[in-house]
Each structure stands twice: as structure tokens, then as C-alpha cells.
């Protein structure tokens, strides 16, 4: 069967479209899911190709606890009380406009403040 559409390599990153979620790097995955005491292996077997440093993971972990990123996490993880429902409803418009820099250090500066 001959298709006119070229086949996409399944190992390639998904196409990135404006306005949609984009894959974040390994530092973000580790910051979100790994034990903070676990060692960071720079070239480990990750879902997203690319190296990672302990400094990147620390910056991502810090950024996740600040400003709009912390509020986004609360909006999806806190128990759904009436107040949480109301906060989610009234804050939805703002949260849809939040953009997260792929670089954890830039995100840390943006959401936590600093130089």
C-alpha cells in the first residue's frame, strides 16, 4: 500500500503547535516525579532526549512551588472543595495564558522572582 503522506519516525518528538502543550525537558520530569534525594544522571534513559544537570532539576523543583506554577498545581491536585471549584472557575482564564519557559532557570526567575 502506497500512501501519499510521508511516514513520521515514531521516535521523533511530537509536532509542536502554537497554543498547545509542549513537552518539557527531563529536568521538569525529575523535579515533578523523582525523589529529591535521588541522584541525577546526566544522560539517563529519559522519555525526552537530552542531558540534565542537578542544577536544572533544583531550579525546576523550586519553580514548581512558586507563583502561577504553584497555583496550577493546586488547581489540579487539591481536593475539590467548593472553594477550590470556585478558585478553578474564576482563575481558569488567567491560567490558560500562563506560559512556562522550557529552561528551568528562566522559569525559576519568572515564577519565583530574582535576577
Amino acid at each position: 500500500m502506497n500512501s501519499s503522506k510521508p511516514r513520521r519516525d515514531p521516535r521523533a518528538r511530537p509536532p509542536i503547535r502554537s497554543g498547545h502543550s509542549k513537552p518539557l525537558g527531563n529536568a521538569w520530569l525529575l523535579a515533578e516525579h523523582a525523589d529529591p534525594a535521588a541522584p541525577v544522571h546526566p544522560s539517563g534513559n529519559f522519555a525526552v532526549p537530552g542531558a540534565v544537570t542537578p542544577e536544572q532539576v533544583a531550579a525546576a523543583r523550586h519553580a514548581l512551588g512558586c507563583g502561577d506554577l504553584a497555583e496550577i498545581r493546586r488547581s489540579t491536585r487539591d481536593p475539590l472543595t467548593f472553594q477550590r471549584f470556585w478558585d478553578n472557575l474564576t482563575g481558569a482564564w488567567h491560567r490558560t495564558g500562563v506560559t512556562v519557559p522550557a529552561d528551568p532557570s528562566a522559569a525559576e526567575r519568572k515564577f519565583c522572582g530574582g535576577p
Side-chain angles (χ1 to χ4, degrees), residues 36-91:
V40 175
H41 298 285
S43 60
N45 185 14
F46 296 109
V48 179
V52 63
T53 67
E55 294 78 21
Q56 290 172 321
V57 175
R61 192 169 279 132
H62 185 216
L64 286 169
C66 296
D68 286 338
L69 280 183
E71 174 53 25
I72 289 169
R73 292 177 84 204
R74 284 190 300 272
S75 74
T76 60
R77 295 179 178 168
D78 283 0
L80 190 57
T81 61
F82 179 78
Q83 186 61 50
R84 182 74 260 167
F85 170 79
W86 185 252
D87 291 344
N88 286 355
L89 182 66
T90 59

Side-chain angles (χ1 to χ4, degrees), residues 8-17 21-23 47-48:
R8 196 171 91 73
D9 182 352
R11 295 169 297 176
R13 288 186 179 185
I16 295 175
R17 298 177 296 171
S21 296
K22 283 116 181 123
V48 179

Side-chain angles (χ1 to χ4, degrees), residues 24-25 28 69 98-111:
L24 292 174
W28 292 101
L69 280 183
V98 173
T99 56
V100 180
D103 173 36
S105 296
E108 183 180 33
R109 286 189 300 278
K110 177 177 180 176
F111 295 109

